[in-house]
Amino acid sequence: MFIVSHRSIFFALTGLLIAASLACVAIFGLRFGTDFTGGTLVQASYPAGRPDAKALSEQLDAAGFKGYSLREANTNDYILRSGAISTAQRASLGTTLSVGSSTANIAVLTEVGPTIGTELRNKALVSIVVVLLCILLFIAFAFRKVSRPVSSWVYGLIALVTLLHDVVVPTGFFALLGHFTGAQVDTLFVTAILTVLGFSVHDTIVVFDRVRENLRRNHESGRKEDFAITAGHALGQTFIRSLNTSLTVVITLTALYVLGPVSTKDFALTLLVGIVAGTYSSIFLATPLLVTVAKRQEGK
């Protein structure tokens, strides 16, 4: 009952999180990767050991590369992401990436045109919107027999609000990460966001389903109970389960981030932030919003 009774505190905290996330996006912006903007991705392998990143960056600057990002991968690899490169730059790529005795072997060279990048970006946005819409319709259908004190559509709309929170927070975090580390938004980021949406809505539905079950029991027993109490009981009955489920996922993602390859670190970190945000919204935002809507309808 503590969460429901003090819901204004959590609403204020949620507002601060969303405001901070939107501010990060507005101030720092998102660094879209070659998947979405078009450009070149190169993975260079160094059998004799990779050179110093600063020395390699100097050679890339001298060769005319602009707005690129250079990141370590595996044991002796570098991954280079840049805009479109000229024919001359492509021909001398092996020489440009070789520093002293560290000779580069081009293991991967992928070029994405701007048209394909724009198409991928549009499809990524459409996929997120379609997923949110399908979740809204599914919850409204699943709770179609619940009409009091709030309709099934309210359950769906509140779930949608919490999911928007779960998209905004990791996006804002990624904007901050991109500013300080050069992390770029790519298809892995979209995959992480879609995964977070699925995990978060699962937690939210578990709580909502317990609310529905408690309402049914109250109706069958003829017991009249304030909706806030009913929702508070449902939250208490699922609280430990939600925390335990999220904690196991957080431990797994932390291990992936710490021990996994460099190429998956941003993906793991996005998932980690998203799962934490999703757990918070499922517990501290969804049910309190449901109670607030019910109170306003009772007032009317």
Side-chain angles (χ1 to χ4, degrees), residues 192-211:
I193 292 297
L194 292 175
T195 304
V196 168
L197 292 180
F199 185 91
S200 177
V201 76
H202 171 266
D203 259 4
T204 302
I205 288 178
V206 166
V207 181
F208 283 179
D209 193 57
R210 186 54 62 94
V211 172

Side-chain angles (χ1 to χ4, degrees), residues 82-190:
S82 72
I85 61 177
S86 65
T87 304
Q89 288 174 323
R90 189 185 306 108
S92 60
L93 197 55
T95 304
T96 302
L97 294 174
S98 297
V99 179
S101 60
S102 300
T103 304
N105 294 330
I106 308 302
V108 177
L109 174 58
T110 303
E111 295 184 84
V112 179
T115 302
I116 296 176
T118 302
E119 182 181 353
L120 285 174
R121 183 171 56 191
N122 292 338
K123 286 184 176 180
L125 291 174
V126 169
S127 64
I128 293 176
V129 172
V130 169
V131 167
L132 292 174
L133 181 61
C134 289
I135 289 173
L136 168 63
L137 295 175
F138 170 76
I139 295 178
F141 176 78
F143 287 79
R144 63 192 182 280
K145 294 183 179 180
V146 180
S147 59
R148 294 182 181 180
V150 292
S151 68
S152 60
W153 284 102
V154 173
Y155 286 87
L157 289 173
I158 288 176
L160 197 60
V161 170
T162 61
L163 291 178
L164 288 174
H165 164 274
D166 301 338
V167 171
V168 170
V169 171
T171 300
F173 173 80
F174 213 81
L176 190 66
L177 190 67
H179 176 72
F180 288 105
T181 68
Q184 296 181 337
V185 175
D186 54 14
T187 50
L188 274 181
F189 174 81
V190 177

